[in-house]
Amino acid sequence: MDTTNQKVLIIGAAGQIGIELALSLSAMYGSQNIIISDLKPIPSLPENPFEKLDILDKNALFDIIKKHQIKQVYLLAALLSATGEQNPAFAWKLNMDGLFNVLDLAKEKHINKVYWPSSIAVFGPTTPRINTPQHTIMEPSTVYGISKQAGEGWCNWYFNKHGVDVRSLRYPGLIGWKSAPGGGTTDYAVHIFYEALKNSKYECFLSENTTLPMMHMEDAIRATLELMHAPAEKIKTRTSYNLSGLSFSPKEIAAEIKKHIPDFQITYKPDFRQPIADSWPASIEDSTARTEWGWKEHYDLNLLVENMLKNLTNLVSK
Ligand code: NAD
Ligand code: SER
C-alpha cells in the first residue's frame, strides 16, 4: 500500500494501544500524517498533530476529518471489560455510538478505511475454552463483550451493505512496556512487571491457574498493521479475526519472572474480575488469520518476560 500523503486519525490515542500504534504508524507514514486524538493531551507523542476529541461528538469528528483530509481511522476509544462492568450504560453508549459515528462517515465516503478492535471478550462461558474456533458459540457475559459482539456484527453489515472497508482483530490481553493498560481484566499481566521490579512482590486479582490468551504489544501492533495493509480481497472475514499469541496463567508468568528476579513472590486475591476471566477462552485457534493474510506471532512467554524486564528495568525506580 502506498503510504504517501495518506492521513490517518487515531481516536483514543492516549491509551495502551494508541501510544504504541501512533509510534509505529508514524515510522511508516511520518509523524505529521498521523493525527492523534483523545479526551486528554498526549505528552509522550509531541511530534504528531493532536486534536482533542470526544468520539461521541460526531460533528467534531467530521470537522477533524475534513480539516486534516483523513483517509483512514483507527478507532480505539472504548471502555474495557472491568470498567465497563462498573458503568454498563455508559460502556454500551461509548462502545456502540463511537463505532457508528466512524462507520457512518465511512459509509458516506468521507474516509476510505477503518480499523476497530474486537476482543476475546466476545466469547462467553458456553464457548469451548480450549483452542476457541473462529466460528463458535458466542454468548458473552460482560457488557464489554456484548458491545464487541454487536460491533462485529455492525462492521460486517456496513461492509456487506455499504462496501465500508472495515477491518478488525479479536485481541487477547496485550502486554507492552511503552504504555499503561486501562481497565481490563488482563491488566495484571502488565502490573506484575512493575511490582516485580519495584517491590519483588505482587498481589494478583486473578487466581493462580486462570489461563488466558495474551500477546506482546509488538505482535499486536504488527498484526494490526499487516491486516490494514493487506489487499482488500484477502480480508474475507469482516466481523473480526481470532488472533493468537500465547496463553499463560498468573502462576506460570510468575515462575518465568522468578527466573530473573529470584526473590519475587506472588499472592492471589481474586476480585470481581475473576468471573470475567473465567468466562473467557484459555487459548485461541486462529488459522483463519494465518491463512487469509499470513498472521504469525513472534513472542513466546520466555521472550515476552525477558523483553518486558529488560525494557522496564530502567523505567521503574525502586
Ligand atoms: P485504553 O483504555 O488504554 O485507551 C482508550 C483511550 O480512549 C483512552 O486514552 C481514553 O482516554 C480514550 N477515550 C475514552 N473515551 C473517549 C471518548 N469519548 N472520546 C475519545 N477518546 C476516548 O484502551 P486500550 O487498551 O488502548 O484499548 C483500545 C481498544 O482495543 C479498545 O477498543 C479495546 O476494547 C480494544 N482491546 C484492547 C485490549 C487490551 O488488552 N488492551 C484487548 C482487546 C481489545
Ligand atoms: N484486555 C482486555 C480486557 O481485559 C480484553 O479485551 O478487557
Side-chain angles (χ1 to χ4, degrees):
M1 183 185 169
D2 182 13
T3 55
T4 348
N5 294 326
Q6 281 271 340
K7 298 267 185 172
V8 177
L9 175 66
I10 305 178
I11 302 166
Q16 189 196 11
I17 300 174
I19 286 176
E20 298 226 18
L21 184 64
L23 291 169
S24 294
L25 280 169
S26 297
M28 282 176 98
Y29 292 75
S31 309
Q32 284 309 306
N33 292 320
I34 306 303
I35 319 305
I36 53 172
S37 70
D38 206 295
L39 296 173
K40 54 195 179 197
I42 314 175
S44 60
L45 297 171
E47 315 227 312
N48 298 81
F50 171 76
E51 295 282 357
K52 189 168 189 286
L53 172 68
D54 180 346
I55 185 55
L56 296 176
D57 184 344
K58 191 177 177 186
N59 292 331
L61 171 64
F62 183 64
D63 289 346
I64 291 169
I65 283 173
K66 286 284 120 196
K67 176 179 164 192
H68 294 279
Q69 299 188 312
I70 302 291
K71 295 287 174 243
Q72 299 179 43
V73 169
Y74 288 75
L75 170 57
L76 305 177
L79 281 201
L80 277 76
S81 58
T83 38
E85 287 309 283
Q86 316 285 15
N87 199 345
F90 182 68
W92 178 256
K93 182 170 178 53
L94 176 63
N95 295 5
M96 298 315 301
D97 289 357
L99 178 59
F100 282 127
N101 286 347
V102 174
L103 289 177
D104 279 337
L105 291 179
K107 181 183 98 178
E108 293 155 15
K109 311 287 181 218
H110 298 294
I111 43 182
N112 298 337
K113 204 186 262 190
V114 176
Y115 178 75
W116 172 82
S118 184
S119 161
I120 52 165
V122 293
F123 302 116
T126 52
T127 304
R129 285 199 78 228
I130 310 293
N131 288 330
T132 300
Q134 174 73 38
H135 300 286
T136 184
I137 300 167
M138 291 163 88
E139 295 180 319
S141 57
T142 59
V143 65
Y144 174 67
I146 298 167
S147 73
K148 289 295 184 188
Q149 188 191 21
E152 287 190 9
W154 280 111
C155 288
N156 198 37
W157 187 86
Y158 272 78
F159 171 74
N160 285 321
K161 295 280 175 184
H162 298 290
V164 170
D165 188 354
V166 52
R167 306 177 183 200
S168 178
L169 298 171
R170 291 174 183 152
Y171 289 137
L174 302 183
I175 302 161
W177 56 272
K178 292 182 190 162
S179 53
T185 301
T186 57
D187 292 7
Y188 91 85
V190 179
H191 298 157
I192 194 170
F193 288 102
Y194 285 85
E195 293 305 311
L197 286 165
K198 229 176 175 166
N199 303 315
S200 298
K201 61 178 186 190
Y202 177 64
E203 183 175 89
C204 186
F205 58 75
L206 297 182
S207 63
E208 60 182 334
N209 292 319
T210 308
T211 300
L212 288 170
M214 300 280 187
M215 182 173 282
H216 193 289
M217 186 64 86
E218 263 175 49
D219 273 347
I221 299 294
R222 185 169 52 78
T224 307
L225 297 179
E226 285 176 8
L227 175 76
M228 284 296 276
H229 293 91
E233 62 275 13
K234 289 202 169 188
I235 311 303
K236 300 197 192 319
T237 303
R238 295 292 181 156
T239 47
S240 190
Y241 284 97
N242 272 12
L243 190 74
S244 172
L246 65 160
S247 284
F248 58 77
S249 64
K251 190 175 164 184
E252 286 165 336
I253 193 172
E256 197 63 37
I257 291 173
K258 232 171 148 40
K259 290 182 189 166
H260 302 263
I261 306 174
D263 62 342
F264 175 63
Q265 295 295 333
I266 185 166
T267 52
Y268 303 94
K269 195 176 176 193
D271 66 13
F272 72 98
R273 289 165 280 196
Q274 184 65 47
I276 300 178
D278 288 340
S279 76
W280 289 352
S283 57
I284 297 289
E285 195 285 315
D286 64 352
S287 57
T288 309
R290 289 172 197 266
T291 309
E292 291 189 7
W293 47 276
W295 164 242
K296 182 157 177 28
E297 78 287 355
H298 172 64
Y299 280 90
D300 61 16
L301 182 57
N302 179 291
L303 213 53
L304 181 146
V305 168
E306 210 176 272
N307 175 276
M308 287 294 286
L309 290 175
K310 187 179 87 192
N311 286 297
L312 284 176
T313 298
N314 294 330
L315 299 178
V316 178
S317 49
K318 290 213 182 209

